[in-house]
Amino acid sequence: NENDDQNGMKLGKNVKNQMTARKTFFLVMALLNLCIAISCLYRMARAKDSVVSNYLLMMFGVNMFGYAVNYTVMKCYYVCKLGEPKGNRESITFTCWVYIILTLIFCGAGLVFFKGFQEKTTVISPSESRHLNAECTLFFFDKHDIWHFASGFGLLFLFMTLLTLEDNNTSTPWEEIPVF
């Protein structure tokens, strides 16, 4: 009976620590979003050819990256904290690590082609904007096309990462997975 009380106290303390960590993460993300929103509004007020979609894309990307990194870091934290055998359930599979690496490669390439090579503007008409197109870089694709392909593959591999992150927990009830 005394062991049950001690285990209950430990469980209560773990739940309290998890809730504090989650609240801290959500507070950090809320402040980050507020800073991004203020920065975007400031830039839009100063720029003549401001494009709202670029700012929304940045905000969505930062949020998606932040939550995915938090989830992955928490998985790694619980591998170290729980130890064997439960820590093995929380480990990340080789397939998932491959997806993480491919995500970083393709998202990085997408960012380079998006920010480094601007071949469009929304201030002028589409027919005039077409004159900004550069020579083909890869077969008959220009840098803007490569940005679309790289970011599309980056998103695919990010979603595959999130899909395979819990592969070691297939037989574990959802309530017993500490990340949730």
PDB file of all heavy atoms in Angstrom, residues 19-52:
ATOM      1  N   MET A  19       3.160  18.705 -17.736  1.00  0.00           N
ATOM      2  CA  MET A  19       2.252  19.819 -18.007  1.00  0.00           C
ATOM      3  C   MET A  19       3.005  21.148 -17.990  1.00  0.00           C
ATOM      4  O   MET A  19       2.739  22.019 -18.806  1.00  0.00           O
ATOM      5  CB  MET A  19       1.097  19.839 -16.991  1.00  0.00           C
ATOM      6  CG  MET A  19       0.163  18.646 -17.126  1.00  0.00           C
ATOM      7  SD  MET A  19      -0.482  18.435 -18.798  1.00  0.00           S
ATOM      8  CE  MET A  19      -1.536  19.846 -18.925  1.00  0.00           C
ATOM      9  N   THR A  20       3.958  21.301 -17.067  1.00  0.00           N
ATOM     10  CA  THR A  20       4.752  22.530 -17.014  1.00  0.00           C
ATOM     11  C   THR A  20       5.583  22.675 -18.286  1.00  0.00           C
ATOM     12  O   THR A  20       5.664  23.764 -18.860  1.00  0.00           O
ATOM     13  CB  THR A  20       5.668  22.526 -15.775  1.00  0.00           C
ATOM     14  OG1 THR A  20       4.861  22.363 -14.611  1.00  0.00           O
ATOM     15  CG2 THR A  20       6.454  23.810 -15.672  1.00  0.00           C
ATOM     16  N   ALA A  21       6.198  21.582 -18.723  1.00  0.00           N
ATOM     17  CA  ALA A  21       6.997  21.619 -19.955  1.00  0.00           C
ATOM     18  C   ALA A  21       6.127  21.947 -21.160  1.00  0.00           C
ATOM     19  O   ALA A  21       6.528  22.734 -22.024  1.00  0.00           O
ATOM     20  CB  ALA A  21       7.713  20.283 -20.153  1.00  0.00           C
ATOM     21  N   ARG A  22       4.958  21.367 -21.229  1.00  0.00           N
ATOM     22  CA  ARG A  22       4.054  21.648 -22.355  1.00  0.00           C
ATOM     23  C   ARG A  22       3.600  23.091 -22.349  1.00  0.00           C
ATOM     24  O   ARG A  22       3.561  23.748 -23.396  1.00  0.00           O
ATOM     25  CB  ARG A  22       2.841  20.715 -22.299  1.00  0.00           C
ATOM     26  CG  ARG A  22       3.171  19.316 -22.696  1.00  0.00           C
ATOM     27  CD  ARG A  22       1.965  18.430 -22.644  1.00  0.00           C
ATOM     28  NE  ARG A  22       2.360  17.060 -22.907  1.00  0.00           N
ATOM     29  CZ  ARG A  22       1.655  16.013 -22.574  1.00  0.00           C
ATOM     30  NH1 ARG A  22       0.499  16.158 -21.968  1.00  0.00           N
ATOM     31  NH2 ARG A  22       2.086  14.799 -22.855  1.00  0.00           N
ATOM     32  N   LYS A  23       3.238  23.584 -21.171  1.00  0.00           N
ATOM     33  CA  LYS A  23       2.802  24.986 -21.079  1.00  0.00           C
ATOM     34  C   LYS A  23       3.927  25.928 -21.479  1.00  0.00           C
ATOM     35  O   LYS A  23       3.697  26.921 -22.171  1.00  0.00           O
ATOM     36  CB  LYS A  23       2.326  25.298 -19.662  1.00  0.00           C
ATOM     37  CG  LYS A  23       0.996  24.692 -19.313  1.00  0.00           C
ATOM     38  CD  LYS A  23       0.607  25.002 -17.886  1.00  0.00           C
ATOM     39  CE  LYS A  23      -0.672  24.292 -17.512  1.00  0.00           C
ATOM     40  NZ  LYS A  23      -1.011  24.491 -16.100  1.00  0.00           N
ATOM     41  N   THR A  24       5.145  25.599 -21.064  1.00  0.00           N
ATOM     42  CA  THR A  24       6.298  26.425 -21.433  1.00  0.00           C
ATOM     43  C   THR A  24       6.502  26.415 -22.942  1.00  0.00           C
ATOM     44  O   THR A  24       6.718  27.462 -23.551  1.00  0.00           O
ATOM     45  CB  THR A  24       7.568  25.920 -20.722  1.00  0.00           C
ATOM     46  OG1 THR A  24       7.339  25.922 -19.319  1.00  0.00           O
ATOM     47  CG2 THR A  24       8.761  26.782 -21.060  1.00  0.00           C
ATOM     48  N   PHE A  25       6.427  25.232 -23.548  1.00  0.00           N
ATOM     49  CA  PHE A  25       6.595  25.143 -25.003  1.00  0.00           C
ATOM     50  C   PHE A  25       5.515  25.943 -25.729  1.00  0.00           C
ATOM     51  O   PHE A  25       5.822  26.699 -26.655  1.00  0.00           O
ATOM     52  CB  PHE A  25       6.562  23.678 -25.453  1.00  0.00           C
ATOM     53  CG  PHE A  25       6.519  23.531 -26.940  1.00  0.00           C
ATOM     54  CD1 PHE A  25       7.637  23.798 -27.713  1.00  0.00           C
ATOM     55  CD2 PHE A  25       5.353  23.167 -27.581  1.00  0.00           C
ATOM     56  CE1 PHE A  25       7.598  23.695 -29.087  1.00  0.00           C
ATOM     57  CE2 PHE A  25       5.305  23.049 -28.958  1.00  0.00           C
ATOM     58  CZ  PHE A  25       6.434  23.318 -29.709  1.00  0.00           C
ATOM     59  N   PHE A  26       4.265  25.800 -25.307  1.00  0.00           N
ATOM     60  CA  PHE A  26       3.182  26.537 -25.965  1.00  0.00           C
ATOM     61  C   PHE A  26       3.337  28.040 -25.763  1.00  0.00           C
ATOM     62  O   PHE A  26       3.042  28.822 -26.673  1.00  0.00           O
ATOM     63  CB  PHE A  26       1.822  26.051 -25.480  1.00  0.00           C
ATOM     64  CG  PHE A  26       1.472  24.680 -25.959  1.00  0.00           C
ATOM     65  CD1 PHE A  26       1.036  23.703 -25.086  1.00  0.00           C
ATOM     66  CD2 PHE A  26       1.581  24.328 -27.293  1.00  0.00           C
ATOM     67  CE1 PHE A  26       0.728  22.435 -25.522  1.00  0.00           C
ATOM     68  CE2 PHE A  26       1.273  23.065 -27.753  1.00  0.00           C
ATOM     69  CZ  PHE A  26       0.843  22.119 -26.856  1.00  0.00           C
ATOM     70  N   LEU A  27       3.810  28.459 -24.593  1.00  0.00           N
ATOM     71  CA  LEU A  27       4.048  29.877 -24.357  1.00  0.00           C
ATOM     72  C   LEU A  27       5.156  30.401 -25.274  1.00  0.00           C
ATOM     73  O   LEU A  27       5.021  31.469 -25.876  1.00  0.00           O
ATOM     74  CB  LEU A  27       4.412  30.113 -22.888  1.00  0.00           C
ATOM     75  CG  LEU A  27       4.685  31.556 -22.497  1.00  0.00           C
ATOM     76  CD1 LEU A  27       3.419  32.390 -22.643  1.00  0.00           C
ATOM     77  CD2 LEU A  27       5.216  31.628 -21.080  1.00  0.00           C
ATOM     78  N   VAL A  28       6.233  29.626 -25.411  1.00  0.00           N
ATOM     79  CA  VAL A  28       7.332  30.019 -26.303  1.00  0.00           C
ATOM     80  C   VAL A  28       6.833  30.124 -27.744  1.00  0.00           C
ATOM     81  O   VAL A  28       7.144  31.080 -28.460  1.00  0.00           O
ATOM     82  CB  VAL A  28       8.513  29.036 -26.187  1.00  0.00           C
ATOM     83  CG1 VAL A  28       9.514  29.230 -27.305  1.00  0.00           C
ATOM     84  CG2 VAL A  28       9.192  29.178 -24.835  1.00  0.00           C
ATOM     85  N   MET A  29       6.049  29.132 -28.186  1.00  0.00           N
ATOM     86  CA  MET A  29       5.527  29.173 -29.559  1.00  0.00           C
ATOM     87  C   MET A  29       4.572  30.352 -29.758  1.00  0.00           C
ATOM     88  O   MET A  29       4.585  30.989 -30.817  1.00  0.00           O
ATOM     89  CB  MET A  29       4.828  27.853 -29.899  1.00  0.00           C
ATOM     90  CG  MET A  29       5.776  26.699 -30.107  1.00  0.00           C
ATOM     91  SD  MET A  29       7.009  26.956 -31.393  1.00  0.00           S
ATOM     92  CE  MET A  29       6.013  26.903 -32.862  1.00  0.00           C
ATOM     93  N   ALA A  30       3.751  30.662 -28.756  1.00  0.00           N
ATOM     94  CA  ALA A  30       2.838  31.803 -28.862  1.00  0.00           C
ATOM     95  C   ALA A  30       3.629  33.107 -28.969  1.00  0.00           C
ATOM     96  O   ALA A  30       3.301  33.980 -29.795  1.00  0.00           O
ATOM     97  CB  ALA A  30       1.892  31.836 -27.676  1.00  0.00           C
ATOM     98  N   LEU A  31       4.673  33.244 -28.158  1.00  0.00           N
ATOM     99  CA  LEU A  31       5.505  34.450 -28.234  1.00  0.00           C
ATOM    100  C   LEU A  31       6.248  34.533 -29.572  1.00  0.00           C
ATOM    101  O   LEU A  31       6.365  35.615 -30.146  1.00  0.00           O
ATOM    102  CB  LEU A  31       6.497  34.474 -27.073  1.00  0.00           C
ATOM    103  CG  LEU A  31       5.905  34.759 -25.694  1.00  0.00           C
ATOM    104  CD1 LEU A  31       6.964  34.599 -24.609  1.00  0.00           C
ATOM    105  CD2 LEU A  31       5.283  36.142 -25.650  1.00  0.00           C
ATOM    106  N   LEU A  32       6.731  33.395 -30.057  1.00  0.00           N
ATOM    107  CA  LEU A  32       7.389  33.367 -31.359  1.00  0.00           C
ATOM    108  C   LEU A  32       6.423  33.797 -32.465  1.00  0.00           C
ATOM    109  O   LEU A  32       6.777  34.597 -33.340  1.00  0.00           O
ATOM    110  CB  LEU A  32       7.942  31.970 -31.644  1.00  0.00           C
ATOM    111  CG  LEU A  32       8.674  31.784 -32.960  1.00  0.00           C
ATOM    112  CD1 LEU A  32       9.948  32.628 -32.989  1.00  0.00           C
ATOM    113  CD2 LEU A  32       9.000  30.324 -33.175  1.00  0.00           C
ATOM    114  N   ASN A  33       5.193  33.285 -32.415  1.00  0.00           N
ATOM    115  CA  ASN A  33       4.188  33.684 -33.403  1.00  0.00           C
ATOM    116  C   ASN A  33       3.871  35.170 -33.317  1.00  0.00           C
ATOM    117  O   ASN A  33       3.690  35.836 -34.344  1.00  0.00           O
ATOM    118  CB  ASN A  33       2.910  32.861 -33.227  1.00  0.00           C
ATOM    119  CG  ASN A  33       3.027  31.504 -33.850  1.00  0.00           C
ATOM    120  OD1 ASN A  33       3.529  31.367 -34.955  1.00  0.00           O
ATOM    121  ND2 ASN A  33       2.568  30.489 -33.152  1.00  0.00           N
ATOM    122  N   LEU A  34       3.797  35.694 -32.114  1.00  0.00           N
ATOM    123  CA  LEU A  34       3.540  37.121 -31.940  1.00  0.00           C
ATOM    124  C   LEU A  34       4.681  37.946 -32.535  1.00  0.00           C
ATOM    125  O   LEU A  34       4.441  38.931 -33.248  1.00  0.00           O
ATOM    126  CB  LEU A  34       3.346  37.443 -30.459  1.00  0.00           C
ATOM    127  CG  LEU A  34       2.996  38.886 -30.136  1.00  0.00           C
ATOM    128  CD1 LEU A  34       1.628  39.246 -30.712  1.00  0.00           C
ATOM    129  CD2 LEU A  34       3.013  39.099 -28.639  1.00  0.00           C
ATOM    130  N   CYS A  35       5.914  37.534 -32.278  1.00  0.00           N
ATOM    131  CA  CYS A  35       7.074  38.238 -32.842  1.00  0.00           C
ATOM    132  C   CYS A  35       7.077  38.170 -34.368  1.00  0.00           C
ATOM    133  O   CYS A  35       7.370  39.167 -35.033  1.00  0.00           O
ATOM    134  CB  CYS A  35       8.366  37.656 -32.285  1.00  0.00           C
ATOM    135  SG  CYS A  35       8.623  38.023 -30.543  1.00  0.00           S
ATOM    136  N   ILE A  36       6.761  37.003 -34.911  1.00  0.00           N
ATOM    137  CA  ILE A  36       6.707  36.867 -36.366  1.00  0.00           C
ATOM    138  C   ILE A  36       5.617  37.758 -36.946  1.00  0.00           C
ATOM    139  O   ILE A  36       5.816  38.432 -37.958  1.00  0.00           O
ATOM    140  CB  ILE A  36       6.494  35.391 -36.770  1.00  0.00           C
ATOM    141  CG1 ILE A  36       7.736  34.571 -36.463  1.00  0.00           C
ATOM    142  CG2 ILE A  36       6.151  35.276 -38.252  1.00  0.00           C
ATOM    143  CD1 ILE A  36       7.542  33.078 -36.646  1.00  0.00           C
ATOM    144  N   ALA A  37       4.451  37.780 -36.298  1.00  0.00           N
ATOM    145  CA  ALA A  37       3.342  38.606 -36.793  1.00  0.00           C
ATOM    146  C   ALA A  37       3.713  40.092 -36.769  1.00  0.00           C
ATOM    147  O   ALA A  37       3.455  40.822 -37.735  1.00  0.00           O
ATOM    148  CB  ALA A  37       2.094  38.347 -35.958  1.00  0.00           C
ATOM    149  N   ILE A  38       4.329  40.536 -35.696  1.00  0.00           N
ATOM    150  CA  ILE A  38       4.742  41.943 -35.607  1.00  0.00           C
ATOM    151  C   ILE A  38       5.798  42.255 -36.658  1.00  0.00           C
ATOM    152  O   ILE A  38       5.734  43.295 -37.332  1.00  0.00           O
ATOM    153  CB  ILE A  38       5.244  42.267 -34.179  1.00  0.00           C
ATOM    154  CG1 ILE A  38       4.070  42.237 -33.197  1.00  0.00           C
ATOM    155  CG2 ILE A  38       5.953  43.616 -34.137  1.00  0.00           C
ATOM    156  CD1 ILE A  38       4.484  42.307 -31.745  1.00  0.00           C
ATOM    157  N   SER A  39       6.752  41.344 -36.825  1.00  0.00           N
ATOM    158  CA  SER A  39       7.787  41.535 -37.843  1.00  0.00           C
ATOM    159  C   SER A  39       7.180  41.595 -39.245  1.00  0.00           C
ATOM    160  O   SER A  39       7.569  42.446 -40.064  1.00  0.00           O
ATOM    161  CB  SER A  39       8.801  40.402 -37.752  1.00  0.00           C
ATOM    162  OG  SER A  39       9.676  40.425 -38.832  1.00  0.00           O
ATOM    163  N   CYS A  40       6.237  40.723 -39.514  1.00  0.00           N
ATOM    164  CA  CYS A  40       5.591  40.709 -40.840  1.00  0.00           C
ATOM    165  C   CYS A  40       4.811  41.991 -41.082  1.00  0.00           C
ATOM    166  O   CYS A  40       4.878  42.570 -42.174  1.00  0.00           O
ATOM    167  CB  CYS A  40       4.680  39.494 -40.970  1.00  0.00           C
ATOM    168  SG  CYS A  40       5.568  37.927 -41.064  1.00  0.00           S
ATOM    169  N   LEU A  41       4.076  42.437 -40.077  1.00  0.00           N
ATOM    170  CA  LEU A  41       3.319  43.686 -40.231  1.00  0.00           C
ATOM    171  C   LEU A  41       4.256  44.868 -40.454  1.00  0.00           C
ATOM    172  O   LEU A  41       3.978  45.747 -41.281  1.00  0.00           O
ATOM    173  CB  LEU A  41       2.437  43.915 -39.006  1.00  0.00           C
ATOM    174  CG  LEU A  41       1.243  42.986 -38.862  1.00  0.00           C
ATOM    175  CD1 LEU A  41       0.556  43.203 -37.520  1.00  0.00           C
ATOM    176  CD2 LEU A  41       0.260  43.207 -40.005  1.00  0.00           C
ATOM    177  N   TYR A  42       5.356  44.895 -39.731  1.00  0.00           N
ATOM    178  CA  TYR A  42       6.336  45.971 -39.894  1.00  0.00           C
ATOM    179  C   TYR A  42       6.925  45.959 -41.305  1.00  0.00           C
ATOM    180  O   TYR A  42       7.018  46.993 -41.964  1.00  0.00           O
ATOM    181  CB  TYR A  42       7.437  45.835 -38.835  1.00  0.00           C
ATOM    182  CG  TYR A  42       8.536  46.840 -38.969  1.00  0.00           C
ATOM    183  CD1 TYR A  42       8.342  48.171 -38.598  1.00  0.00           C
ATOM    184  CD2 TYR A  42       9.784  46.478 -39.473  1.00  0.00           C
ATOM    185  CE1 TYR A  42       9.346  49.108 -38.721  1.00  0.00           C
ATOM    186  CE2 TYR A  42      10.801  47.407 -39.605  1.00  0.00           C
ATOM    187  CZ  TYR A  42      10.574  48.720 -39.231  1.00  0.00           C
ATOM    188  OH  TYR A  42      11.576  49.639 -39.357  1.00  0.00           O
ATOM    189  N   ARG A  43       7.323  44.786 -41.765  1.00  0.00           N
ATOM    190  CA  ARG A  43       7.895  44.677 -43.115  1.00  0.00           C
ATOM    191  C   ARG A  43       6.874  45.025 -44.180  1.00  0.00           C
ATOM    192  O   ARG A  43       7.208  45.641 -45.190  1.00  0.00           O
ATOM    193  CB  ARG A  43       8.425  43.268 -43.355  1.00  0.00           C
ATOM    194  CG  ARG A  43       9.686  42.966 -42.617  1.00  0.00           C
ATOM    195  CD  ARG A  43      10.148  41.576 -42.935  1.00  0.00           C
ATOM    196  NE  ARG A  43      11.353  41.239 -42.232  1.00  0.00           N
ATOM    197  CZ  ARG A  43      12.019  40.122 -42.424  1.00  0.00           C
ATOM    198  NH1 ARG A  43      11.590  39.231 -43.289  1.00  0.00           N
ATOM    199  NH2 ARG A  43      13.105  39.874 -41.740  1.00  0.00           N
ATOM    200  N   MET A  44       5.631  44.592 -43.984  1.00  0.00           N
ATOM    201  CA  MET A  44       4.593  44.890 -44.977  1.00  0.00           C
ATOM    202  C   MET A  44       4.313  46.384 -45.039  1.00  0.00           C
ATOM    203  O   MET A  44       4.034  46.927 -46.105  1.00  0.00           O
ATOM    204  CB  MET A  44       3.314  44.118 -44.659  1.00  0.00           C
ATOM    205  CG  MET A  44       3.423  42.639 -44.970  1.00  0.00           C
ATOM    206  SD  MET A  44       2.041  41.657 -44.383  1.00  0.00           S
ATOM    207  CE  MET A  44       0.643  42.457 -45.102  1.00  0.00           C
ATOM    208  N   ALA A  45       4.385  47.068 -43.908  1.00  0.00           N
ATOM    209  CA  ALA A  45       4.140  48.504 -43.885  1.00  0.00           C
ATOM    210  C   ALA A  45       5.263  49.270 -44.589  1.00  0.00           C
ATOM    211  O   ALA A  45       5.017  50.313 -45.202  1.00  0.00           O
ATOM    212  CB  ALA A  45       4.010  48.984 -42.442  1.00  0.00           C
ATOM    213  N   ARG A  46       6.488  48.764 -44.524  1.00  0.00           N
ATOM    214  CA  ARG A  46       7.632  49.448 -45.121  1.00  0.00           C
ATOM    215  C   ARG A  46       7.854  49.099 -46.581  1.00  0.00           C
ATOM    216  O   ARG A  46       8.433  49.881 -47.326  1.00  0.00           O
ATOM    217  CB  ARG A  46       8.898  49.114 -44.341  1.00  0.00           C
ATOM    218  CG  ARG A  46       8.863  49.698 -42.939  1.00  0.00           C
ATOM    219  CD  ARG A  46      10.175  49.664 -42.265  1.00  0.00           C
ATOM    220  NE  ARG A  46      11.128  50.468 -43.037  1.00  0.00           N
ATOM    221  CZ  ARG A  46      12.427  50.286 -42.992  1.00  0.00           C
ATOM    222  NH1 ARG A  46      12.934  49.358 -42.247  1.00  0.00           N
ATOM    223  NH2 ARG A  46      13.242  51.038 -43.709  1.00  0.00           N
ATOM    224  N   ALA A  47       7.413  47.924 -47.011  1.00  0.00           N
ATOM    225  CA  ALA A  47       7.696  47.467 -48.375  1.00  0.00           C
ATOM    226  C   ALA A  47       6.611  47.928 -49.337  1.00  0.00           C
ATOM    227  O   ALA A  47       5.442  48.036 -48.980  1.00  0.00           O
ATOM    228  CB  ALA A  47       7.799  45.954 -48.402  1.00  0.00           C
ATOM    229  N   LYS A  48       7.032  48.153 -50.569  1.00  0.00           N
ATOM    230  CA  LYS A  48       6.080  48.552 -51.599  1.00  0.00           C
ATOM    231  C   LYS A  48       5.444  47.343 -52.264  1.00  0.00           C
ATOM    232  O   LYS A  48       4.294  47.385 -52.658  1.00  0.00           O
ATOM    233  CB  LYS A  48       6.787  49.404 -52.654  1.00  0.00           C
ATOM    234  CG  LYS A  48       7.313  50.703 -52.134  1.00  0.00           C
ATOM    235  CD  LYS A  48       8.080  51.436 -53.196  1.00  0.00           C
ATOM    236  CE  LYS A  48       8.689  52.702 -52.624  1.00  0.00           C
ATOM    237  NZ  LYS A  48       9.606  53.334 -53.543  1.00  0.00           N
ATOM    238  N   ASP A  49       6.219  46.295 -52.422  1.00  0.00           N
ATOM    239  CA  ASP A  49       5.721  45.111 -53.128  1.00  0.00           C
ATOM    240  C   ASP A  49       5.598  43.914 -52.180  1.00  0.00           C
ATOM    241  O   ASP A  49       6.058  42.835 -52.455  1.00  0.00           O
ATOM    242  CB  ASP A  49       6.627  44.772 -54.310  1.00  0.00           C
ATOM    243  CG  ASP A  49       8.047  44.493 -53.878  1.00  0.00           C
ATOM    244  OD1 ASP A  49       8.403  44.839 -52.738  1.00  0.00           O
ATOM    245  OD2 ASP A  49       8.795  43.917 -54.690  1.00  0.00           O
ATOM    246  N   SER A  50       4.972  44.150 -51.040  1.00  0.00           N
ATOM    247  CA  SER A  50       4.843  43.119 -50.024  1.00  0.00           C
ATOM    248  C   SER A  50       3.847  42.043 -50.460  1.00  0.00           C
ATOM    249  O   SER A  50       2.792  42.342 -51.005  1.00  0.00           O
ATOM    250  CB  SER A  50       4.369  43.767 -48.725  1.00  0.00           C
ATOM    251  OG  SER A  50       4.243  42.800 -47.736  1.00  0.00           O
ATOM    252  N   VAL A  51       4.217  40.798 -50.225  1.00  0.00           N
ATOM    253  CA  VAL A  51       3.376  39.672 -50.599  1.00  0.00           C
ATOM    254  C   VAL A  51       2.968  38.940 -49.329  1.00  0.00           C
ATOM    255  O   VAL A  51       3.818  38.383 -48.627  1.00  0.00           O
ATOM    256  CB  VAL A  51       4.132  38.716 -51.556  1.00  0.00           C
ATOM    257  CG1 VAL A  51       3.257  37.551 -51.948  1.00  0.00           C
ATOM    258  CG2 VAL A  51       4.619  39.467 -52.773  1.00  0.00           C
ATOM    259  N   VAL A  52       1.687  38.950 -49.018  1.00  0.00           N
ATOM    260  CA  VAL A  52       1.181  38.350 -47.791  1.00  0.00           C
ATOM    261  C   VAL A  52       1.439  36.851 -47.770  1.00  0.00           C
ATOM    262  O   VAL A  52       1.747  36.276 -46.723  1.00  0.00           O
ATOM    263  CB  VAL A  52      -0.331  38.649 -47.634  1.00  0.00           C
ATOM    264  CG1 VAL A  52      -0.902  37.941 -46.429  1.00  0.00           C
ATOM    265  CG2 VAL A  52      -0.559  40.137 -47.535  1.00  0.00           C
TER     266      VAL A  52
END
